[in-house]
Amino acid sequence: MKKRFSEEQIIGVLKEAEAGVPVKELCRKHNISDATFYTWRKKFGGLDVSEARRLKSLEDENARLKKMLADSMLDQEALKAALNRKLLTVSNKREAVRTMQCETSISQRRACSLVGISRAAFHYQSSRQSVDAGLSERIQTLANERRRFGYRRVHQLLRREGVTVNHKKVYRLYREANLAVPKRKRRKGIAIERQPLVQPEGPNRTWSMDFVMDAMACGRRLKCLTVVDDYTKECLDIAVARGISGDEVTRILEAVAAFRGYPEAVRTDQGPEFTGKALDQWASDNHIELKLIQAGKPTQNGFIESFNGRFRDECLNEHWFRDLSHARDIISDWRRDYNEQRPHSSLGYQTPLEFAAQHRTGQSKPKTWDITK
């Protein structure tokens, strides 16, 4: 067994060496190696017993502080790993302990101490789960059959089936299965004054635009942005895509304005694509007035609503689109036919293209009206 030397013994050996005793003789006498002797001399050479003890205590204190610092840093790292979790319930605390152990080298005992849970509670396995398994399965079945029913109505259905259970237990199982019905958030519209729908005095004065939704044969959504000149009734563009954001709306309008020029105003509803920053910035940069209708009042945008009705009846409802490119081809052909071949009753049964051409020559006599209701 390896012998442990005290500070007095070490200093005594060094004193003997200073007195002239050979090192090999000292090592043989005290049963130590040469390396041990030279280590002692390097560490304690020139010190007395009290100074050696003080050095030893300082080393022990330094080691203890290093260990405390290492433990503190490990605790901070473990707490950062579980900071995004609410440590309110026992299940949350168990999950936090598992996360700490997975992401750091902290011990289970230390992790339980940090989150405030005993190791017995961490390892506890509830026997209630097996008892409540059948009831929980029945609650999920009822909730899936009646998707808009909350836990109170589910509790009443269980009572009708003869199941004697407290409503608080139903609520707990209902929440554990994540069956809570999300609240429908009502979108708040922008408060604006009502503006009469007036026929513009010439082309390119006011454009109207809106979205029309449809679906392809595969069931995927189809979104169409329709843009119409309120004076000539020309369909300026029908952009077709699976989704159209506010930035894409500005790019579409910029492409139309490239060959027609910018309008004085654009009339839209209060959809998120039209009330976002992208369209507002585009209108401000090009000195265009944005006319937003009141929320839930589609008749205030009657020109585009009338066009969308024809578009649905004559194009969308008459065709079955295989894919996006097929839909774009069919809709593009219908738009060309609408502008060039289809007579418009409000234009004296002229096509929008013929009416626009006559206006450029000064021969057109458009109808004027003011819709205030």
Side-chain angles (χ1 to χ4, degrees), residues 10 18 45 71-72 75 96 99 117 125 128 152 163 179 189 202 220 225 244 254 258 279 283 286 290 324 337 341:
I10 294 173
E18 291 176 0
D71 292 342
S72 176
D75 292 348
T99 302
I117 183 176
Q125 296 291 333
R128 186 174 55 186
R152 292 184 180 88
V163 180
L179 299 173
R220 299 193 67 175
L225 175 65
I244 301 176
E254 190 67 30
L279 185 60
N286 297 288
L290 286 180
L324 190 61
D337 179 78
Q341 303 295 331

Side-chain angles (χ1 to χ4, degrees), residues 19-69:
V21 180
V23 174
K24 290 186 177 181
E25 184 178 343
L26 281 174
C27 293
R28 188 166 47 251
K29 175 183 177 182
H30 297 285
N31 195 21
I32 60 175
S33 64
D34 295 350
T36 302
F37 173 79
Y38 288 116
T39 302
W40 286 352
R41 189 168 67 176
K42 180 180 179 181
K43 187 175 181 180
F44 299 105
L47 300 179
D48 56 17
V49 176
S50 61
E51 291 175 339
R53 287 178 178 174
R54 178 173 176 79
L55 178 62
K56 183 67 174 176
S57 64
L58 288 175
E59 289 179 346
D60 294 341
E61 180 70 15
N62 188 31
R64 188 178 66 84
L65 292 176
K66 284 183 177 180
K67 186 177 182 304
M68 290 177 59
L69 179 60

Side-chain angles (χ1 to χ4, degrees), residues 79-123:
L79 288 173
K80 285 181 180 179
L83 273 181
N84 58 341
R85 304 177 184 276
K86 293 183 178 180
L87 306 179
L88 301 178
T89 64
V90 176
S91 59
N92 295 145
K93 294 180 179 180
R94 290 194 185 109
E95 186 64 26
V97 171
R98 296 189 188 98
T99 302
M100 289 180 179
Q101 289 188 288
C102 289
E103 299 185 10
T104 65
S105 59
I106 194 171
S107 66
Q108 187 183 96
R109 185 186 301 275
R110 187 66 178 173
C112 291
S113 175
L114 287 175
V115 301
I117 183 176
S118 65
R119 295 182 68 195
F122 175 74
H123 291 288

Side-chain angles (χ1 to χ4, degrees), residues 21-248:
V21 180
V23 174
K24 290 186 177 181
E25 184 178 343
L26 281 174
C27 293
R28 188 166 47 251
K29 175 183 177 182
H30 297 285
N31 195 21
I32 60 175
S33 64
D34 295 350
T36 302
F37 173 79
Y38 288 116
T39 302
W40 286 352
R41 189 168 67 176
K42 180 180 179 181
K43 187 175 181 180
F44 299 105
L47 300 179
D48 56 17
V49 176
S50 61
E51 291 175 339
R53 287 178 178 174
R54 178 173 176 79
L55 178 62
K56 183 67 174 176
S57 64
L58 288 175
E59 289 179 346
D60 294 341
E61 180 70 15
N62 188 31
R64 188 178 66 84
L65 292 176
K66 284 183 177 180
K67 186 177 182 304
M68 290 177 59
L69 179 60
D71 292 342
S72 176
M73 293 177 66
L74 184 59
D75 292 348
Q76 290 182 6
E77 185 180 356
L79 288 173
K80 285 181 180 179
L83 273 181
N84 58 341
R85 304 177 184 276
K86 293 183 178 180
L87 306 179
L88 301 178
T89 64
V90 176
S91 59
N92 295 145
K93 294 180 179 180
R94 290 194 185 109
E95 186 64 26
V97 171
R98 296 189 188 98
T99 302
M100 289 180 179
Q101 289 188 288
C102 289
E103 299 185 10
T104 65
S105 59
I106 194 171
S107 66
Q108 187 183 96
R109 185 186 301 275
R110 187 66 178 173
C112 291
S113 175
L114 287 175
V115 301
I117 183 176
S118 65
R119 295 182 68 195
F122 175 74
H123 291 288
Y124 175 75
Q125 296 291 333
S126 175
S127 60
R128 186 174 55 186
Q129 296 179 357
S130 59
V131 177
D132 295 342
L135 180 59
S136 178
E137 184 178 351
R138 183 55 185 160
I139 290 174
Q140 293 181 43
T141 302
L142 292 174
N144 291 329
E145 291 175 355
R146 313 252 183 190
R147 294 185 179 276
R148 298 304 302 176
F149 277 18
Y151 80 93
R152 292 184 180 88
R153 292 181 184 271
V154 172
H155 177 240
Q156 293 300 323
L157 293 177
L158 290 173
R159 291 186 61 183
R160 290 183 181 182
E161 295 178 359
V163 180
T164 304
V165 60
N166 190 281
H167 70 280
K168 291 182 284 187
K169 187 174 185 178
V170 173
Y171 174 73
R172 176 175 58 80
L173 297 176
Y174 190 86
R175 290 295 300 270
E176 289 177 357
N178 197 22
L179 299 173
V181 180
K183 293 183 179 180
R184 293 176 178 174
K185 295 183 180 180
R186 184 175 175 228
R187 182 175 172 271
K188 296 182 180 180
I190 302 173
I192 57 175
E193 295 183 0
R194 180 178 181 180
Q195 299 181 4
L197 185 62
V198 181
Q199 177 78 0
E201 299 177 356
N204 233 34
R205 299 289 180 87
T206 305
W207 294 355
S208 296
M209 61 180 180
D210 197 7
F211 285 108
V212 180
M213 302 297 182
D214 198 17
M216 294 180 289
C218 61
R220 299 193 67 175
R221 185 180 69 167
L222 196 67
K223 194 172 186 179
C224 305
L225 175 65
T226 57
V227 186
V228 173
D229 189 307
D230 291 350
Y231 182 78
T232 64
K233 310 303 179 186
E234 292 175 279
C235 178
L236 306 181
D237 194 10
I238 302 180
V240 183
R242 293 192 180 96
I244 301 176
S245 64
D247 292 329
E248 291 170 343

